[in-house]
Amino acid sequence: DALVVNNNAAAVLLTLSALAAGRDVIVARGEQVQIGGGFRVPDIMALAGAKFKEVGTTNIVHASDYARAVGPDSACALLVHSSNFAIRGFASRPRPAEVVQALPPGLPVYADQGSGCLDENIPGETPLSSYVKAGCALVSFSADKLLGGPQAGIIAGRADLLAKLRNHPLYRAFRPGKTIYSLLERVLVARLNGEPGPAGRARSRELGELQSLAHDVLALLPDDSATLVTSLAASGGGSGPDETFPSVALELGGRYKADTLSAALRQ
């Protein structure tokens, strides 16, 4: 089953409130992250009334760490996409399937996947399908990032757990309006029909096509206001911090004021 809410932050808060209020949530120490807009995983868990049960260290966590943390008050294990930073060097963490296999069958694993990467091959991203195939009971993600839809959050997974979320009082506060549902439906139908989505289309553009597009833009700007240069583009704003690919950019300069260049670019 699946459930749509206002955004992925609402998805995390609703899930933890419905499944883990007053109980333990097993989470790796290195996954208690803060992302854009001051969204902190520890704050959301506290707001939901859930209790931390930290496992592992900042850089190393094993599947056995999750297994040892299970107790009578355990509600679920939480896997969090780090998204906007990377730990390199002496670092490792188990694959989702290893966490699922290490835990008792009745204890759900909830993955906060975040980006909405469905099945695209994007470095640094774990596709949603991988979490589902690994046996995660619930996966939540944004509809407005890699999926390319309106701002919304989607929670997908076991029907019995989603029934609890749907019956929770917070769901009424978090559910979106009909306009969001309508826009989201169009995006999902397009993806089901094999269309790549905006992120996939953007990443599939060849360098020559980007250079041609840059020249078209350059021709519409005031003379000597910009120069075409090579660059490295990032896969996401704060996400995928180590993932770049060859691109081109317009380097602005010259005698023009910023508001003049801004107006020219917007036109």
Side-chain angles (χ1 to χ4, degrees), residues 201-251:
R201 286 194 296 269
R203 286 181 55 84
S204 65
R205 281 182 164 178
E206 298 291 339
L207 193 58
E209 184 183 356
L210 293 176
Q211 290 170 334
S212 177
L213 175 62
H215 280 295
D216 291 343
V217 175
L218 193 61
L220 298 173
L221 297 180
D223 292 341
D224 301 322
S225 64
T227 305
L228 181 62
V229 297
T230 58
S231 71
L232 289 175
S235 298
S239 63
D242 290 337
E243 310 302 337
T244 59
F245 51 92
S247 186
V248 295
L250 293 176
E251 187 176 86

Side-chain angles (χ1 to χ4, degrees), residues 79-106:
L79 307 179
V80 184
H81 188 336
S82 56
S83 76
N84 55 3
F85 73 96
I87 300 176
R88 291 183 292 274
F90 185 53
S92 70
R93 60 181 181 181
R95 291 179 288 108
E98 293 174 326
V99 177
V100 172
Q101 292 165 9
L103 297 177

Side-chain angles (χ1 to χ4, degrees), residues 2-267:
L3 196 63
V4 181
V5 291
N6 290 330
N7 51 43
N8 192 48
V12 176
L13 179 54
L14 174 60
T15 301
L16 295 178
S17 297
L19 301 183
R23 302 179 65 195
D24 293 339
V25 174
I26 304 170
V27 60
R29 183 169 279 108
E31 293 181 5
Q32 296 185 47
V33 300
Q34 175 175 325
I35 61 172
F39 176 89
R40 288 184 169 188
V41 170
D43 292 347
I44 293 297
M45 291 181 66
L47 189 61
K51 303 174 184 177
F52 277 120
K53 196 149 190 183
E54 295 181 339
V55 297
T57 63
T58 301
N59 57 320
I60 300 285
V61 61
H62 302 292
S64 58
D65 293 326
Y66 288 89
R68 284 194 298 269
V70 175
D73 291 331
S74 298
C76 66
L78 173 64
L79 307 179
V80 184
H81 188 336
S82 56
S83 76
N84 55 3
F85 73 96
I87 300 176
R88 291 183 292 274
F90 185 53
S92 70
R93 60 181 181 181
R95 291 179 288 108
E98 293 174 326
V99 177
V100 172
Q101 292 165 9
L103 297 177
L107 190 67
V109 175
Y110 163 42
D112 172 17
Q113 192 264 0
S115 70
C117 176
L118 293 183
D119 50 19
E120 300 92 341
N121 182 22
I122 297 178
E125 289 290 340
T126 302
L128 293 164
S129 55
S130 296
Y131 287 106
V132 175
K133 292 174 182 175
C136 292
L138 292 173
V139 186
S140 69
F141 52 97
S142 296
D144 50 300
K145 294 184 174 67
L146 291 177
L147 193 61
Q151 179 171 299
I154 299 176
I155 313 165
R158 275 174 37 190
D160 62 324
L161 297 180
L162 283 162
K164 293 182 179 180
L165 272 59
R166 191 174 279 109
N167 292 327
H168 194 278
L170 277 179
Y171 173 57
R172 185 170 182 83
F174 288 162
R175 66 185 185 185
K178 295 176 182 177
T179 303
I180 295 297
Y181 281 120
S182 178
L183 293 169
L184 182 57
E185 181 182 47
R186 291 174 60 183
V187 170
L188 294 175
V189 168
R191 297 302 297 272
L192 286 169
N193 287 334
E195 295 183 24
R201 286 194 296 269
R203 286 181 55 84
S204 65
R205 281 182 164 178
E206 298 291 339
L207 193 58
E209 184 183 356
L210 293 176
Q211 290 170 334
S212 177
L213 175 62
H215 280 295
D216 291 343
V217 175
L218 193 61
L220 298 173
L221 297 180
D223 292 341
D224 301 322
S225 64
T227 305
L228 181 62
V229 297
T230 58
S231 71
L232 289 175
S235 298
S239 63
D242 290 337
E243 310 302 337
T244 59
F245 51 92
S247 186
V248 295
L250 293 176
E251 187 176 86
L252 303 179
R255 56 188 171 83
Y256 297 95
K257 294 183 178 180
D259 56 354
T260 300
L261 292 174
S262 176
L265 287 166
R266 291 178 187 280
Q267 292 171 16

